Amino acid sequence: MLLEFLVNIVTSLILVILGLFIFFKNRKSATHLFFTALTFILASWTFTNYFSLHSDTEEITLFWIRVVMLITSFMGPALFLLLHSFPKDKLTVKKKYLIFLTFTTSLSAILAMSPFMFVSVSLEQGVKPTPGPAILVFAFNFFISVIAGFITIIRKYLKARGLEKLQIKYVFLGLIITFGFSNITNFIFVVLLKFTSFVVFGPLFNLILVVFITYAIVKHRLMDIRLIVARTVSYFLLLITLAGFYVFSIFSLSSFFYNIAASSGQIFINVVLVLIIAFGFQPLRRFLEKITDKIFFKDRYETEDLLSKLTNLLSSTLILEKLTKGVLEELLEEIKIKRGAIVLWEKGRVNEFFYQNGTEEKKFPQDEIRVLLKTPVQPVIFDELPEGRRKRILRENNFNFSHVLKVKEGIIGLLLLGEKLSGDIYSNQDVELLEIFSPQLAVAIENALAYQEIQKFSETLKLEVKKATSALEKTNKRLRQVSALKDEFVSLTSHELRTPLTAIGGSLSTVLEGYAGKVSEKTREFLEGAFSENTRLLRLVNNLLNISRIEAGRLKFNIAPLNLNEVVIAALETIKTQAEEKKLKLIFEPRENLIVQADEGKLREIIINLCGNAIKFTEVGQVAVTAWRHGEVAIVAVEDTGPGILPQDQQKLFRKFEQVDGIKASKKKGGTGLGLYICKNLIEAMGGEIWLKSEDNKGSTFYFTLPLK
Ligand code: ADP
């Protein structure tokens, strides 16, 4: 009795408090209003019901029963109206339904107080009221509104998304639990098992519904509250199941065994039952926990793990495409989100758009993105936004979450995420994770962008280099063509010049030697001049021809064993006149017989060149040629008493077209600067070397070697 009274008092109090709390939260909302109405109806029902069960006389009992029926008449309609408007602020029930409902409710209420609903009551075996025909009106009104309420809420649930869906889910859960358990306690236990001890707790079940609805109205993505709710529901289910099993077993089994086995049998049964319960507790608890976890945490992930996964991903690549794709994939997979996008913003417009899942049905207009970008660096959650432009934009583009991507220099883009697969709203955990992750993502994207730029730059650079190279190649090719043309020209002309020059030289020499008659002293002088110039010209032409052949790689050598002394003597013969003209002594005194491996013509040219130079640059004194054996080679030296060559110029001489001033300005003597270059090439081609020794004012000596046979 006392327990029952306490339960009733506490229940009614909580109901009234919750009702008032919700009412004052928003007095204008239809949901809040109908909720408060329902709590008051339930509270008064709890109270009057208590009186109807605990009155002394049949008369008073009948009165309270009628009052209970009066109050209950409003219960169904109130629930219907609440479910219909939930969670909106406006009542949207059609007028005709409202009129109909008002009519049936009023009829039921009026009849409740009349003798037509409950005719009488007897207290002989507990409270036993006798129903009248009007009970049908009551039943019709009650069930019609409850069923209509259920249908509306189910339909709403299917259409709703985000927070609304979650809210409806809680209401739904509350409804199911309440109706489920009040049916179990009030119907199954009482009517089928004739067990009434639990009726006392009946009002508590109403409380469950009310608590659920309260939570749904006040809402929130408070994971911890969800956890408490989940655990509470799980343990509550456990308790009820076990108690139900215990009671059911005791009563069914003991009534079965009652006559045969008395108290000892009951003890035995009790022991067995206690054992079953004790052993069944854990697995059952786990099973129920699993089920409730499935309902409440089906989208659970570990923040730490996911963050470290994402961070790894960020550091694994610098390719923008790969980075954004990877991140979106991971987020969608782990948080279980339908779709996502990363928008990159540059210079006041969208630069790049990366979508994941869900095609880009409609291009996100620039100005809409601009609106979203103007938010502070905080997550924007659709369900928590007040109605307005931003909310509309998110709704139209099917996104539920947005976070700006900000780096030191400013905002570079947006992270957009769609609805969660479960239809749940973004939980605290989600939001916290995304809040931590977004700046990291922003930095990684910035790096990737920088990398992209460098990549592009190096591409352009490569292209430029390629262009320049191909231009150079073209020029080079042309140059080579021109050079080849020139070589051919030089080679051709020199060849053509050489023949007549040789002929002229031959004729002059014949005349000078007196074979064509006596030559007067005067004529001889002129002819000798002509002969000397002709020799110089021939040397020049020969040099030109050699150069062009050397360059073209067409120089042919006819290597054979030669008597070196003989070749030197023959060569000196041709330039003897030049030395005589300058009154220079031209000396060669063979010391030993030397047989070298060389091309005779080339060797002669080398000696003529070196001796020619010596004569050309020497004014007084002599030009001496010597040759001797030195190991495997023969060394030939051409020594003069000319002006000498400065040390810094000595190596230059062997390069093409190189002439040096020397002390006595040898340049003035004419020439091409080719002679020594040709000598070096010829000597080296025949396996020898050339070098010189010279001291200021003490003449020069040119040395070269040739392999001995
Ligand atoms: P060229 O004699 O046609 O100018 P060379 O290649 O034969 O070309 O000689 C190159 C230069 O070396 C000469 O112009 C001269 O300045 C210097 N040279 C060559 N031989 C001598 C030498 N015996 N004495 C001084 N200078 C020399």
Side-chain angles (χ1 to χ4, degrees):
M1 266 270 286
L2 184 67
L3 175 72
E4 197 179 348
F5 186 70
L6 272 177
V7 168
N8 281 323
I9 287 284
V10 171
T11 309
S12 311
L13 255 172
I14 295 175
L15 284 171
V16 170
I17 288 169
L18 286 179
L20 289 175
F21 168 67
I22 291 297
F23 178 71
F24 286 113
K25 242 180 121 54
N26 185 358
R27 276 184 261 186
K28 283 184 192 133
S29 160
T31 302
H32 289 228
L33 216 69
F34 290 124
F35 175 80
T36 311
L38 187 69
T39 55
F40 275 67
I41 290 168
L42 287 173
S44 15
W45 178 86
T46 310
F47 244 87
T48 48
N49 197 40
Y50 177 80
F51 290 128
S52 75
L53 293 171
H54 301 285
S55 290
D56 297 333
T57 65
E58 290 182 348
E59 213 181 354
I60 298 173
T61 304
L62 189 61
F63 167 76
W64 281 118
I65 285 177
R66 283 175 178 162
V67 174
V68 167
M69 293 314 282
L70 172 72
I71 291 166
T72 317
S73 296
F74 294 99
M75 209 187 279
L79 183 69
F80 167 74
L81 291 172
L82 170 63
L83 294 181
H84 201 280
S85 41
F86 185 86
K88 297 270 161 16
D89 290 344
K90 268 210 181 105
L91 177 65
T92 48
V93 183
K94 277 190 190 140
K95 223 175 181 168
K96 54 180 179 186
Y97 295 131
L98 263 184
I99 293 170
F100 178 73
L101 203 64
T102 315
F103 172 73
T104 53
T105 307
S106 321
L107 193 66
S108 167
I110 292 165
L111 289 171
M113 293 308 284
S114 73
F116 301 113
M117 201 168 287
F118 279 106
V119 186
S120 62
V121 71
S122 115
L123 293 179
E124 270 152 43
Q125 283 180 318
V127 185
K128 279 263 155 72
T130 316
I135 194 84
L136 292 174
V137 176
F138 169 85
F140 175 77
N141 180 49
F142 185 83
F143 285 114
I144 276 291
S145 33
V146 169
I147 288 167
F150 262 86
I151 291 173
T152 346
I153 201 82
I154 288 170
R155 274 169 58 181
K156 239 186 230 179
Y157 177 77
L158 294 177
K159 259 196 273 170
R161 48 184 292 250
L163 173 66
E164 207 173 292
K165 195 155 198 151
L166 191 70
Q167 287 176 307
I168 294 174
K169 216 182 226 156
Y170 283 125
V171 173
F172 211 68
L173 216 64
L175 279 172
I176 301 235
I177 292 175
T178 303
F179 273 80
F181 284 118
S182 37
N183 271 338
I184 290 171
T185 51
N186 289 341
F187 184 72
I188 298 179
F189 282 163
V190 179
V191 181
L192 297 183
L193 300 173
K194 312 265 183 262
F195 176 72
T196 50
S197 303
F198 278 163
V199 175
V200 182
F201 300 104
L204 278 179
F205 296 126
N206 294 335
L207 208 52
I208 293 175
L209 173 64
V210 171
V211 167
F212 266 93
I213 299 181
T214 309
Y215 177 66
I217 291 177
V218 192
K219 58 150 182 184
H220 272 323
R221 46 186 170 83
L222 299 175
M223 205 57 179
D224 8 9
I225 286 197
R226 261 217 267 179
L227 185 75
I228 293 166
V229 172
R231 286 287 169 267
T232 315
V233 171
S234 150
Y235 282 111
F236 194 73
L237 288 172
L238 180 72
L239 206 73
I240 292 294
T241 318
L242 287 179
F245 175 73
Y246 185 70
V247 170
F248 177 81
S249 319
I250 283 196
F251 280 84
S252 54
L253 294 180
S254 61
S255 68
F256 182 72
F257 290 112
Y258 195 71
N259 298 325
I260 317 152
S263 54
S264 62
Q266 249 174 8
I267 289 165
F268 175 73
I269 290 167
N270 277 347
V271 169
V272 173
L273 288 177
V274 165
L275 280 176
I276 292 176
I277 288 168
F279 284 113
F281 183 84
Q282 277 304 331
L284 191 64
R285 191 186 68 115
R286 246 174 286 153
F287 171 70
L288 290 171
E289 256 179 29
K290 224 164 143 186
I291 290 179
T292 46
D293 275 1
K294 242 192 190 149
I295 297 170
F296 288 95
F297 303 110
K298 60 173 175 269
D299 48 2
R300 193 155 64 162
Y301 57 90
E302 291 298 329
T303 306
E304 295 282 307
D305 292 352
L306 181 52
L307 263 180
S308 86
K309 240 197 229 173
L310 288 167
T311 318
N312 279 344
L313 215 140
L314 291 186
S315 54
S316 72
T317 180
L318 271 173
I319 314 290
L320 190 60
E321 195 103 349
K322 242 170 124 184
L323 182 87
T324 49
K325 196 172 173 257
V327 164
L328 284 175
E329 246 170 28
E330 196 65 48
L331 284 177
L332 264 53
E333 169 73 29
E334 287 287 330
I335 312 185
K336 309 251 178 340
I337 306 170
K338 276 187 191 157
R339 57 203 289 270
I342 289 176
V343 189
L344 296 187
W345 188 257
E346 199 185 38
K347 296 187 190 109
R349 44 179 232 92
V350 172
N351 183 29
E352 294 199 63
F353 219 127
F354 299 99
Y355 261 100
Q356 193 70 31
N357 287 5
T359 44
E360 193 179 341
E361 301 111 8
K362 175 170 83 99
K363 195 88 195 152
F364 218 141
Q366 303 269 350
D367 50 324
E368 292 193 353
I369 288 180
R370 202 168 289 134
V371 171
L372 294 179
L373 280 168
K374 277 204 190 107
T375 50
V377 188
Q378 259 168 22
V380 175
I381 300 150
F382 175 79
D383 298 289
E384 289 174 11
L385 271 182
E387 271 309 329
R389 186 134 184 244
R390 272 193 289 161
K391 189 156 186 155
R392 186 176 52 74
I393 291 169
L394 284 178
R395 185 184 292 122
E396 278 170 9
N397 291 287
N398 260 323
F399 285 115
N400 284 32
F401 177 93
S402 138
H403 198 299
V404 291
L405 298 173
K406 189 173 180 279
V407 292
K408 241 195 264 151
E409 287 73 30
I411 288 170
I412 58 163
L414 270 181
L415 169 66
L416 291 164
L417 296 173
E419 201 187 345
K420 291 179 85 173
L421 289 174
S422 57
D424 286 356
I425 55 158
Y426 281 75
S427 69
N428 257 4
Q429 190 196 7
D430 303 335
V431 174
E432 259 164 30
L433 174 112
L434 292 167
E435 221 167 348
I436 296 170
F437 177 61
S438 294
Q440 295 179 9
L441 176 63
V443 172
I445 286 180
E446 204 196 21
N447 287 343
L449 282 170
Y451 178 71
Q452 211 178 40
E453 204 149 297
I454 291 171
Q455 205 81 340
K456 257 188 219 156
F457 179 69
S458 91
E459 278 303 306
T460 2
L461 209 64
K462 253 189 228 160
L463 227 75
E464 287 298 317
V465 169
K466 214 172 158 188
K467 254 196 243 163
T469 316
S470 98
L472 266 176
E473 260 168 17
K474 256 187 217 156
T475 317
N476 193 18
K477 202 172 158 192
R478 255 193 66 75
L479 275 175
R480 261 184 289 142
Q481 280 172 347
V482 172
S483 174
L485 258 170
K486 178 212 74 183
D487 288 347
E488 204 165 323
F489 173 76
V490 171
S491 155
L492 221 94
T493 38
S494 353
H495 196 79
E496 292 301 309
L497 285 172
R498 206 163 62 150
T499 323
L501 282 176
T502 317
I504 293 170
S507 301
L508 283 174
S509 135
T510 313
V511 174
L512 276 171
E513 273 157 32
Y515 292 114
K518 204 171 160 14
V519 183
S520 75
E521 220 24 58
K522 197 93 193 145
T523 314
R524 171 176 293 274
E525 216 171 288
F526 283 116
L527 285 182
E528 273 176 353
F531 182 74
S532 160
E533 287 307 305
N534 187 63
T535 314
R536 255 164 46 89
L537 195 56
L538 196 61
R539 202 177 122 205
L540 178 70
V541 169
N542 268 336
N543 279 348
L544 281 177
L545 199 62
N546 277 327
I547 285 276
S548 77
R549 284 185 183 154
I550 290 171
E551 309 269 277
R554 276 188 293 140
L555 206 58
K556 285 204 183 79
F557 289 84
N558 196 1
I559 306 279
L562 295 176
N563 189 324
L564 180 65
N565 295 340
E566 282 174 13
V567 181
V568 174
I569 289 165
L572 292 185
E573 192 61 32
T574 52
I575 50 166
K576 186 177 71 186
T577 343
Q578 286 174 32
E580 283 165 3
E581 268 174 16
K582 292 184 82 174
K583 313 243 173 357
L584 295 173
K585 270 200 250 167
L586 187 57
I587 307 166
F588 176 60
E589 282 160 2
R591 287 189 235 166
E592 52 185 323
N593 219 18
L594 296 165
I595 306 293
V596 294
Q597 281 287 77
D599 178 305
E600 190 181 350
K602 308 278 188 298
L603 178 57
R604 199 169 44 229
E605 259 171 58
I606 293 164
I607 295 165
I608 292 175
N609 255 312
L610 292 179
C611 292
N613 275 347
I615 294 166
K616 189 160 74 175
F617 297 109
T618 307
E619 298 307 325
V620 214
Q622 59 174 34
V623 171
V625 180
T626 35
W628 66 94
R629 178 195 300 270
H630 181 83
E632 302 281 283
V633 295
I635 300 181
V636 181
V638 179
E639 189 182 0
D640 65 44
T641 49
I645 298 161
L646 293 175
Q648 65 264 35
D649 291 333
Q650 292 183 6
Q651 275 314 303
K652 278 202 248 166
L653 298 181
F654 298 102
R655 285 186 223 140
K656 199 158 59 168
F657 299 118
E658 202 69 66
Q659 288 178 310
V660 297
D661 283 339
I663 309 162
K664 304 277 150 63
S666 53
K667 238 184 185 175
K668 274 191 260 157
K669 309 272 175 186
T672 52
L674 293 173
L676 289 178
Y677 169 74
I678 291 166
C679 286
K680 183 175 158 71
N681 272 280
L682 296 179
I683 290 167
E684 283 173 2
M686 294 190 291
E689 276 175 279
I690 182 168
W691 71 96
L692 76 104
K693 250 189 212 154
S694 177
E695 268 179 70
D696 215 358
N697 266 329
K698 284 189 181 155
S700 331
T701 312
F702 283 84
Y703 301 88
F704 70 92
T705 63
L706 282 173
L708 286 166
K709 192 189 167 228

